Every structure is written in C-alpha cells, then in structure tokens.
Amino acid sequence: MDALCGSGEFSSKFWDSNLSLHTDNPDLTPCFQNSLLAWAPCVYLWAALPCYLFYLRRHQQGYIVLSHLSRLKTALGVLLWCVSWADLFYSFHGLLHGWAPAPIFFVTPLVVGVTMLLATLLIQYERLRGVRSSGILIIFWFLCVICGIIPFRSKILSAVAQGRISDPFRFSTFYIYFALVLSSLILSCFREKPPFFSPKNVDPNPCPEAGAGFLSRLTFWWFTKLAILGYRRPLEDRDLWALNKEDCSQMVVQRLLEEWKKQQEQAAQHQAAEASGKRPSSEGEVLLGKRPRTREPSFLRALMATFASSFLLSMCLKLIQDLLSFVNPQLLSILIRFISNPAAPTWWGFLVAGLMFVCSVMQTLILHQYYHCIFVMGLRFRTGIIGVIYRKALVITNSVKRESTVGEIVNLMSVDAQRFMDVVPFLNLLWSAPMQIILAMYFLWQNLGPSVLAGVALMILLIPLNGVAMKMRMFQVEQMKFKDSRIKLMSEILGGIKVLKLYAWEPSFLKQVEGIRQNELKLMRQVAYLHAISTFIWVCTFLVTLITLGVYVSVDENNVLDAEKAFVSVSLFNILKIPLNMLPQLISNLAQTSVSLKRIQHFLSQDELDPQCVERKTITPGYAITVNNGTFTWAQDMPPALHSLDIQVPKGALVAVVGPVGCGKSSLVSALLGEMEKLEGKVYMKGSVAYVPQQAWIQNCTLQENVLFGKALDPKRYQQALEACALLADLEVLPGGDQTEIGEKGINLSGGQRQRVSLARAVYSDADIFLLDDPLSAVDAHVAKHIFDQVIGPEGVLAGKTRVLVTHGISFLPQTDFIIVLADGQVSEVGTYTALLQRDGSFANFLRNYAPDDTKDHQEADSRTALEDKEDEEVLLIEDTRSNHTDLTDNEPITYEVQKQFMRQLSAMSSEGEGQGRPVPRRRVGTAEKVVQEAEAKPSRVLTQEEKAETGTVKMSVYWDYAKAVGLCTTLFICLLYGGQSAAAIGANVWLSAWTDEAAMNGQQNNTSHRLGVYAALGLLQGLLVMLSAVTMAVGGVQAARLLHQALLHNKMRSPQSFFDTTPSGRILNRFSKDIYVIDEVLAPTILMLLNSFYNSISTLVVIVASTPVFAVVVVPLAVLYLFVQRFYVATSRQLKRLESVSRSPIYSHFSETVTGSSVIRAYGRSQDFEAINNVKVDTNQKSCYPYIASNRWLGIRVEFVGNCVVLFAAVFAVTGRNSLSPGLVGLSVSYALQVTLALNWMIRTISDLESNIVAVERVKEYSKTETEAPWVVEGNRPPAGWPPRGEVEFRNYSVRYRPGLELVLKNLSLQVHGGEKVGIVGRTGAGKSSMTLCLFRILEAAEGEIRIDGLNVADIGLHDLRSQLTIIPQEPILFSGTLRMNLDPFGTYSEEDMWRALELSHLHSFVSSQPAGLEFQCSEGGENLSVGQRQLVCLARALLRKSRILVLDEATAAIDLETDDLIQATIRTQFEACTVLTIAHRLNTIMDYTRVLVLDKGTIAEFDSPTNLIAARGIFYGMARDAGLA
C-alpha cells in the first residue's frame, strides 16, 4: 500500500497509529482514505454483481417506463462518472506538467469511475427487468456515503489547521462527488412506478409486500397499515391481502406435482431396468441373501427440488446472522478493556458502543429476513402437500380407502402436512448448530484456554439428559393413543346419545370415559415431571459456566478471573446454550417428520383407479351399457364381488336390478362407474353419467348449489327438477328456500329430503345414463310412488334416457322394461316382469312371498286408485314433504349412519372452526313462519355466544377461572418461586462481578474457594427454584385439566336431548378434543414461558439501573415504545390467528366431504372443479397465515430495536460514567443488556399465545354450565321393586312441545292402554308418533298433563328408574364399538346363558357362534362390520335380555329387507306375549292383528279402535290400508 501512496506529490503513509488511535482527535491518513475507503463500496458492488445479474435474468417483471426519477438517477450516475474521470485526467495533466502524483491518484479514480458507470448501467438494466426498488444499489450508495464522511471531515480539519486548501481541484471534486452520492442515496430510496407489461393485478386488495421498496421490506414497514387497522377494530376476511402469485396453491401444487411425477418416472425406469436384469448384483449380496431394494419414488427429493431456491437463500441469511452473533462478545471484551484502562481516549468507548448497536441492528434485520423466508417456505410446503394429497384422494381405489379411514386420510392433510410446516424452520440448524458450537468453543478457548474442556465435557455429559425429550416423546405418543380412544368414544356417545338416554346407559359410558381420562392424566403427570427435569437442564448451562470458571481459577495460581474473561465467557456460553438446546428438539422433530414423510409417501404411492376400466368411447350400436363376461372385486386380495356378468342395456331402457340384501346390487352400479377393480371382461358405457348413491351425498352448501352441482342455472330446467322430485313443498318450509345452507352431510334435512335432493341433482344434470342406487328407500311409500311416476317411470322426466334402477320396492317392477335378478354376485335371471313370473324361478318365489295380492288385481287397483286419488295424492305429498320428518326419531339414518367417523376426526381438528357460515336450523316444527323465527332465535343465539368469545380481549374472569382450577395457593406459590429464582440469578451475577473487580484491584486472586462456593450455591439455588416452580405448575396444570374436563363431561352426559338436537356434534366434540388438548398441554408451558421472560426482562432492567442509574431516564420512553408496539401486535395477531383457525376447518371438512363423495364427483366428472375449490379453500387459509407470519417479523424487528437501544444506552452510559464504574459492573450490565432482546420478544409472543389459548378455558366453561335434565335417581321417590307389575300406560290431558317457544306437538292426549295390550300407532309423517314414545321415556317433558304407568306418575321418579324399566327397539339400530357383550349388556348384569338365549331368539345365534370370538366379537364403530339387518337383530336381543313389561317398537323403515322384518315380528309375537307393546308402524301389515290401532293426526287422536272396526269405519286408517293394498 505504501508503494501506491508513498512516492510523488501528496505522498503519505498508509497507516499511522499516532494519528488514528492514540489521540483524542482521531483521523485517517490521506492514503488510507484514498485507497481502502474509496475502494470498499466498489469491491462490494463488483462482488455482488454476478449473483444479482443471475437473479435478474431469472425474474422478469415487465419493463418500467422511463420516468423522471429514473432519468434523474441516471444523470447523477453519469455525473459521478464524469467527476471520477475529471480526477483521473487531472492526474494525467499533472504528469504532463512534471509534478507526478502518487500512483493511487490514477488507480482510485479509474476504479471509482468504472464502478459508477456500472451503477448507471445497472439502474437502466433494473428498469428493463421491472425492479422498482433496488436493494443492491441502496446498499452501494449507503456505503459510498459512509466511506465519504471520513474524508469529508478530515479535509475540512486539515484546511482549517493549515489555513489554506492544499489541493483545490481535488478538494472541490470530492465535495461535488459527495453531494452527488448523497443525492443518489436519497433518490434510490424512492420506488419506481409499477412495470408496464406486468400482469394486471385484478385483486381488490393486493399484498403491499410485492410493491414495497427495499427499506420497507427490510423493516417490514409494509405491514404497519394492517397492524394499525387491527388495533382500531377486529380484522375481518375482507381486510386480508391477496396472496403473492408464487404462494398460491395453483403454482405451488403444480410445481410439486411435476417434481413428484419425475420421481415416479425415475422409480419406474429403475424398476424396469431391474426387472430386465441390467443391474449386476454383487457376489456379496447374493451370498448374504440381500434382495436388491426396489426403489420407491422419493417425496423428499421432490420437495427439495421444488423449494431449493428459497432454501439456499435462507442458508445464506442464516450464515451471516450466525457469524454476526459472535461479534458482540468480542466488542464486549474491548469495552471492558477500555473501562479497565483509564488512559484510553473516550471516543474509543463511544465507537465500541456504536459498533455494538450497529451489529445488533444488522443481526436483527438479517435474522428476521431469514425467518420470513423460512416460514413462508414452510407455508408453501404445507400448501403443496395438501394439494398433492387432495388430488391423490380423488383417484385412489376402494381397497386403499378400505385400508385407511377418511379420518386417517384427513390426518395426512392436517397433522402430517402441519408437521412439515413446523419442522422447516429448524432444518438449517442441522449445519448451523454445529458451526455455532465450534465457533463458540474456539473463542472460549482463546479466552480461557484448556479449562474450556471441562465445560464441554459437562455439556457432552448433559446430552444424554436431553434424551429426556425422547422419553417425553414416547409418553406423548402413548397419551395420543388414550386421547384418540377418548375422542372416539366421545364421538360415539354423542352419535348415539339418544340410545344411551333411552336405555339409561349413561353411567356405564361415563365410567369408560373417566377410566381413559385417568390414564391420560397419569401420563400427563409423568410428562410434566420430565418437563421439569428438562427445565433443570437449562439451568445446567449455568453449571457449565461454573465448572469452566472454577477449573480456570483452580488450575493455576496465575490465572486471574478478570471482568473481561468472566463476562465474555458468560455471553459466549449464552450463545452456546441455544444450539445445544435446540439439537434434541430438532432430532425429535425430524423423527416425527420422517414418520409423516413415510406416511405421505406411502399414500401417494398407492394404487389409483384405472380410468380405462370402463370404455367410454365405443359401444355396440343401439346399446348404452354392455358388460361382457365381467368379473369385479373391491380389492385385489378379496374374492370377486361380481363374477361373469353379461349385461346389455339398450339405449333409453329402464332396467330394474333386484335381489336379496348383499347380493351385489350396489356393487354392480359401482362396477359400471369404474369404481371397482376389474379382473376380467369388458365394460362399455357411452354418454355422460348421473349417479344417485344409496346414501345420499350432500355437500355443505346451499340447496340450490347441491342441485346445480357446478352447472350453470337454467331456471326452467331447475324448476322442473325440483317439481319432479317433490322438493317444492320442502322449499316453502326451509328458512331460506333453495338458498338454505345445508349443514355437513345434509344434517338439517331428513333422510327423504336428502335422497330427493340427490335425485334432483341427477335430473338437473341432464345426462345420458342414470345409475340410481335404491333412491326410493329413504322416502315414504306415497312419495316413492310420486317420484317413480314423475321422474324414473315411463311417464317421468327421464323417459327416453337410459336408467338403471336398483330397488327393493316391488310395486314398481311391472312398469320397467326388463329386470335383472342378482344372486351371490351373479345374474340369476333377466327378462321382463311377466316373463320372469311365468318362468317361476327365484324371482317369482320372492314376489309371491311379499306381493300383497295377486299382482293382476294389484295392477288394476293401482290404475283405479291412481285416478281416484289424484287430488288426494297432492295433499298427501305436501303433507309428507312439509313434515320434514319432525319427529326426532324420524331423523332417519342421519344421526348415525351418515355421521360415521368423518365428523369425528374432523371436528376434532376443526379447531375453533365453529360459528361460520349461516345458522343452520335444526328440526322444523310447525309452520314455515315458526321455522324462520326458530332459525333466528335458537341458532343465532348459539352463534352470538360463539362469537362473543371470539373477538376483543379475553376477560379477566377467564384467567381467574383457570387460576381457581389450578388452585390459588399454587398460583401464588409459583409466582413467588419465580421471583426467588430471578433474585438468585441476579445475586450470582453480581457476586461474579464483585469477584472479578477484586482481582482487578490486587492483580491476583484471593480466597478463590470462598468466592466459587457462594457463586455455586446461588446458581444451584436458582436451578432448584426453577425446577420447583415447573413441578408446581405441572401439578397445578394437571389438577386444572382434571377438574375442567370432569365438569364438562358430567354436564354433557346430563344435558337434555334438545341440547344435542340444536348443537352440532362437531362443536361439542371440539370442546372435548381441541379445547381440552389446549388445557392439557399448551396452557401450563405457555404460562411458565411468560413468567420466565417477564422476570428476565425485569431483572435486566434492575441490573442496568443499579449499575448505571442514569439509565432510568431512558427506561420510560423505551417502555412506552415497547407497550405501544405490543398493543398493536397483540390485537392484530390474535385476530389473525382466529381467522386462520376459522378458515382451516373448511379445508378439512371439504376434504372429508370429497373423500366420502369421491364416487359421485368422479361419476359427474367434476374432479377438476373440486381441485379448484380445494385450492381456493387452502388459499383462503394461507391468506391469514401469511400476515400472521409477517406480523411476528414486524413485531420482532420493532421489539428488538427497543432491545438494541437498551444495549446502546447501557454501553454509552457505561462509557460516560467510566470513572465511577468498575469493569465488573460494566460487564454485568452490558452482558445482561445483550440478552434482553430475546426476553422482550418472547414476552410479547407468549402474552399473545396465552390470550389466544386461554379462550379454551372459556369455551369449556361455557359448555359446563348448560342446563341439565331431571335427576337420574330421586332418592326419596324410588319406584317399588318389580315395578311396573302390569304394564298399564295412561296419558291424561297430555301435551308436549319440543322446546320452549315452539308449538305443541301433542295436544291434550288422553288414552289408556291396558296391561298386555298390543297397540299400533300410525299416522302421517309429523303426526307425532315418535314424539309419543319419547314422552314415555321423558326425553320430552310434559307441557301439561301427565303419564301414569301402573298408576305411578312418571314425572315423579328419577329418569334412570323410569328408563331402565322400559324397553325400546329404536328405528335406527345403533351399536357402539366394543365387544358384542358390551353392546348387549354394558353393566354386566346378565349371565352368559341369558345372553346366548337372547341371541338364539333373535336369530343371531348361528352368526355369533360362527365367529371365533363369540360374544367377544368386536363390533366396529357404529356396528359397521354387521349388516343393517344384523344390527336391528342385536337391538332385538337387547330387548329380549331386559324383559321389561312395556316394549316400544319404533319400526325400521327401509333399512331392512322384508325377511329380517318378518323374523323380528315373529319373535315379538311369541316372546313379548304378556307385555304391553306399542308399535309405531310404517308397514301396516305388521299391525293388522294387534288389539287396537291408534291413528294420530297433527298431534291429536283421530281414531283409536281395533283394526277391523277402523277399516269398517272407512276413516283415515282405511285410506292408509287401501294405499297399502290391505283393504
């Protein structure tokens, strides 16, 4: 360097320490200023150029029109270039005139000039690539200004000192240069206009980040607007910004799918190569018997390939940040040395303080850029994974679906995708943690020498203790199992709550749930204790410091522990603490994620349906469907369900498919749709398809959307479809007409209505082929007739289309073109109705048994009555459809069948997802106006309660509730313990500072053992207190969890049936799963963290103020700034979190809806539309995730700025007060200040976490206080043993309504049933038949009047005393998962013989004894592994076991085939001869031999007499009998 500056005119040395360091007025030599300072910005720009150009080449945003701003910037760049060249030419001019300047005067202007030219060109190139604000150039101009400030000052100083300007030309060019550079810096901070050909942003609310300038992005200033808005009022969906294009599902999923396809292709090629035997297997492999591993496509590789670029960027940022974190300890050591050296010039101290501040600020900015990058990447991971799984779920085969329940598939999407999102932020630790550890060790070694090894050894010894984390993981897995089984049981209880009430079985199930909960709490305690031990490990880092320092002073007399060594080591150990603690967490997270990865990969590699299974293009002319020798199975490992089928369906034919239960009728429809796996044969089907499944699949959207199903609205066709499917009357009744929102799985429609909506969807679709899987079973007989005539039959809307109708109804068969009879998966007969009758085969037998009369008469009668009853039927129809199945039991398959597992897992996850959408009215009673009032009254009430808890701050009473549950003494004790722990920590550090000062005074160490002993005692005390407080909190938390769950459970078990009718089970389950989970596992650790960071922040302030009292002055403004930021953040982030969780559940509900309805979606060819809907739902969720991530960064930067100011002021005040301060105190206060940022940041985050989580307590409390039903047992009023002896039932002026404020359902009923009578109860739907039986069981309580059984008023005794003495065989056969024995006798009161006898009488004996487990046969959830008929027989067996005097039979409608029905009727006639039997009849032939028949009409008694008399009287009953062909 000296060579460049040393010769010629104006020569100077490169470095002069007397001029630059040891002086009160420092300056740099002219040579230094002209070389290094001038070159620094240039070096930066040239170094950054290659990467930046590469980036610009890849990112084309459209070009920006040349603006005034751009022209000005370019002009300044050209001027700067000119100024540099002027300098260069001036030097040449000097050379020519003989006064040769030093070489540096040629080199520097040349370098600077070329660089300025480059900057100018870069400005233009950026404009062409559409860059609106250039970070690279802002930093460049900033460096130019910074490097220009020193010559700026020194030129003026030297001119003043000499009294003249030594080199006027260069003096003036420098100031011109400085002015231009400063202007360029200012101009580069402004943004350009948006690029010209950029895609027009149509979004009404685009994300401001995309258009934000460099500085705004760096500090997240673009987020401020939303933070202010969120502070003013709770945020809503419309306030959220649209997603950036690169974060949208469509982009992300597309990229991931492409990569995954590549992986699959590679794997396929690899396997093909292996199959052809190209791969040489080594001898060793053959010897060891290794099979070459088949290569599976790797999902991990696909992910990595998709997101590689953002990952690399995050690595660079992390690297810079990690290196910066080691600068401050070095600066601290310089600061302490400065304080110890009174002779040092004061400006040194200020320089160090300034550098500390700058370094901290840079660290903050880079760290948050890193976090933003990595969290957004996590979001993209989740988006991609969800999208890929969704697309896969639309095409998986049925055998795959069988293996994994919908719940499990939904779990892949919710839990496993979330795991990926959670692990992404940790991934960089894999390389960063070891690097940080090595660097920290290196600096510690420099500081303390080999003594460090003692500390390191201890750390390595502590790593196994981190294995505690692994143990905790095991416990958590166990705990999850208990939790799952508890939720599963709860969801079954909620699904079958009515049956539990009717049988008085609640105590048995209550005991089961509490048993599971006990085990869960036991594990929770163990986890909590382990957690306490792991907090002690945190404190063990203190032990590391202690041992290292102890070894250091004991090893050698001359080792003096001064402030510099002690506090620099402490701050290095603090850096070391983080990676060491994160590693175990990272390992366990990775372990979990690898499990998730395997599960996702396994799912994505599953078999897909073969789209070529059904040939859709060609077919024999004249036919719509042909099957040649088709053999089909549900799964490869199962026997074929259908074999050697040969079927031809001509175009436009109406074909009926009949046969006994389980003969493969529905399978045939599935095979035609391509849903089954084809083993051999060919299937041809030409034309578009509409499909009506047996279980209607209804989406959670408006009724109109359900019918249109993605097609455009054609009002005429729509109206016709509704009319034909008898839906118009229903629309009058539904609160919003066809705009009524249908709940999940059609929950607010009756079974019949659901089926008709499903049919209307098919009719509207106007397809060529209609596959109808038993659409008439769920509707009443006369509606079935109407639908057949209007829609399916030869005269119906679909006449002329090809129709395949699976049916159990016999009456429609004569009108079909031909009939296919199936038996055991084969076609047994085919032909027209008359041909089959004449053939006298199995079909004819079947008909003879069940056709009411000779069929000919039947047909004649049919045509006759059809004419007579045209008007009658109209009335009838309106009656039926209006009724909307008011009776609670008529609520049909809905309660159970439909709600199978999905609801479960779903609601468990739907986390706070309630209260969205419109209120869904539950049951309808009374007239349409009533419904509207009802819809407004009840659901709106529920909704507002939901919402009340959902906005604004949480009330103090909620915290108070939780504190009471934990125990007030415990709460107080924990706070005190934390106070003590902070005091101990401060004590230890103050002691350390005093110890180091003592050394500084004497220059040697005295009574080391005494010093060390006290330090150790204080440190260990702190550790013990931390552990104690964690243990206490654990005990308190478990106690609170126990009490809150217990109160919730007991209240729910005693809630009246009306509560369950008006509250979706998902919402109740949510309390038991999500909210209880939060109380169990989230609240206690959050509170501990809050206390920790709060006490940390406080103790920092105390220490700094104690050592430098002046600091108290800045505390107030900093605290104000902090609180200010905190208020804005908490309000905004809380609401964003809520919006996020509310928008999350629709993803999962839509997904589970898709999985359940995938066959319908595929049949109608709507897969792509559904993928688009899924994209929209995911994007909606990401729209609230993204600002939430940004809000954390926004907060972090602002809070850390407050922390950095604390560092700055602590250092500055230490420098100003250096005369009165010892180095020990300075070390103490600054090392505390360096830690404060973390504590401040955590404090705000935990406050807002606590606020959003404590809501769980409020929600659980809310459901623990709902009203309960009458007591189960009234102690002073128990019925006598053996009651009721006779079984007389008497209604006296009895009236009842469903809920207060609704109309009466039964009005002044008075009737008496004698002991042993058999009474049939009939009436139109909605006449109050089921309500009557519910009153008997006191599911509904009387509005007036009373019911007496054997003279005893049922309202006076306890519910269980009443219900356990009555027996009901409900319409819906509900079983619970568990053994068959448990399903028959949950209390274990009956003997083995009794049970077998009951099974024998209920015709189940052969089935059960054929099962290897016998009575221990495991029923799956809802009795899925038994047929509907078998389930009904199990209910019969229950009744036979109880042998009570009164039996209520709510007759099963369509779920059951005629044979099973006959079995049940026969058993009841023989076994319950002496009992009083009340039967609600749908099929009149079952009650024609009863003693009396009660006809109800609109809640009053219309007729009550023996069947023969009633038929003679030609009243309502006669009309019904005639319709059924019995009169």
Side-chain angles (χ1 to χ4, degrees), residues 19-143:
L19 176 67
S20 305
L21 288 180
H22 306 293
T23 164
D24 283 339
N25 193 6
D27 199 357
L28 291 168
T29 62
C31 174
F32 194 93
Q33 294 176 16
N34 274 332
S35 57
L36 266 190
L37 273 188
W39 298 347
C42 307
V43 172
Y44 153 77
L45 190 62
W46 285 99
L49 187 68
C51 301
Y52 189 49
L53 284 178
F54 177 70
Y55 169 81
L56 285 178
R57 287 289 297 279
R58 299 284 297 275
H59 290 69
Q60 166 64 349
Q61 312 264 333
Y63 80 92
I64 298 172
V65 185
L66 197 58
S67 60
H68 293 307
L69 179 64
S70 185
R71 289 192 179 108
L72 202 53
K73 283 185 194 171
T74 315
L76 288 178
V78 174
L79 282 174
L80 278 164
W81 177 64
C82 295
V83 168
S84 307
W85 286 112
D87 261 356
L88 184 62
F89 288 136
Y90 182 65
S91 300
F92 278 121
H93 168 257
L95 197 60
L96 293 173
H97 287 70
W99 25 274
I104 194 78
F105 290 110
F106 293 98
V107 178
T108 299
L110 184 65
V111 171
V112 173
V114 173
T115 309
M116 290 304 163
L117 189 60
L118 172 69
T120 314
L121 292 172
L122 204 52
I123 292 171
Q124 285 306 316
Y125 185 57
E126 284 180 340
R127 178 179 74 78
L128 295 176
R129 305 300 291 179
V131 177
R132 298 178 61 188
S133 168
S134 162
I136 293 280
L137 285 177
I138 289 182
I139 296 174
F140 171 68
W141 296 125
F142 180 67
L143 286 174

Side-chain angles (χ1 to χ4, degrees), residues 493-672:
I493 289 175
L494 295 176
I497 187 76
K498 190 155 168 200
V499 171
L500 293 188
K501 290 191 178 305
L502 292 171
Y503 286 130
W505 278 359
E506 299 105 325
S508 157
F509 282 80
L510 189 71
K511 216 162 81 190
Q512 284 185 48
V513 176
E514 295 210 305
I516 299 176
R517 181 70 179 160
Q518 267 331 102
N519 294 333
E520 209 182 337
L521 287 173
K522 203 165 88 191
L523 274 175
M524 259 177 64
R525 265 195 204 91
Q526 289 171 321
V527 171
Y529 294 150
L530 280 175
H531 191 77
I533 294 172
S534 65
T535 50
F536 185 67
I537 296 173
W538 257 97
V539 180
C540 289
T541 41
F542 163 80
L543 280 183
V544 175
T545 317
L546 171 73
I547 287 193
T548 313
L549 296 181
V551 169
Y552 178 71
V553 284
S554 343
V555 172
D556 188 348
E557 285 289 286
N558 304 328
N559 280 353
V560 174
L561 187 65
D562 56 16
E564 184 193 338
K565 286 202 170 68
F567 287 104
V568 173
S569 306
V570 168
S571 54
L572 283 168
F573 275 125
N574 280 335
I575 292 179
L576 194 54
K577 194 151 120 179
I578 295 169
L580 277 173
N581 274 296
M582 291 309 251
L583 273 178
Q585 196 181 344
L586 172 67
I587 292 163
S588 69
N589 266 357
L590 281 177
Q592 272 183 330
T593 312
S594 72
V595 172
S596 291
L597 180 70
K598 281 198 193 92
R599 286 172 47 167
I600 292 175
Q601 196 164 305
H602 175 67
F603 179 71
L604 291 179
S605 310
Q606 295 278 24
D607 298 343
E608 299 183 5
L609 285 171
D610 174 16
Q612 263 58 59
C613 175
V614 177
E615 182 58 61
R616 304 298 292 264
K617 301 276 182 289
T618 54
I619 195 164
T620 328
Y623 287 100
I625 303 170
T626 59
V627 181
N628 303 338
N629 188 25
T631 299
F632 302 92
T633 176
W634 281 112
Q636 293 292 351
D637 48 6
M638 288 168 71
L642 299 167
H643 35 96
S644 32
L645 295 182
D646 279 301
I647 296 173
Q648 272 87 28
V649 178
K651 265 205 179 114
L654 166 56
V655 181
V657 180
V658 297
V661 173
C663 67
K665 300 188 293 291
S666 299
S667 302
L668 175 63
V669 176
S670 298
L672 294 178

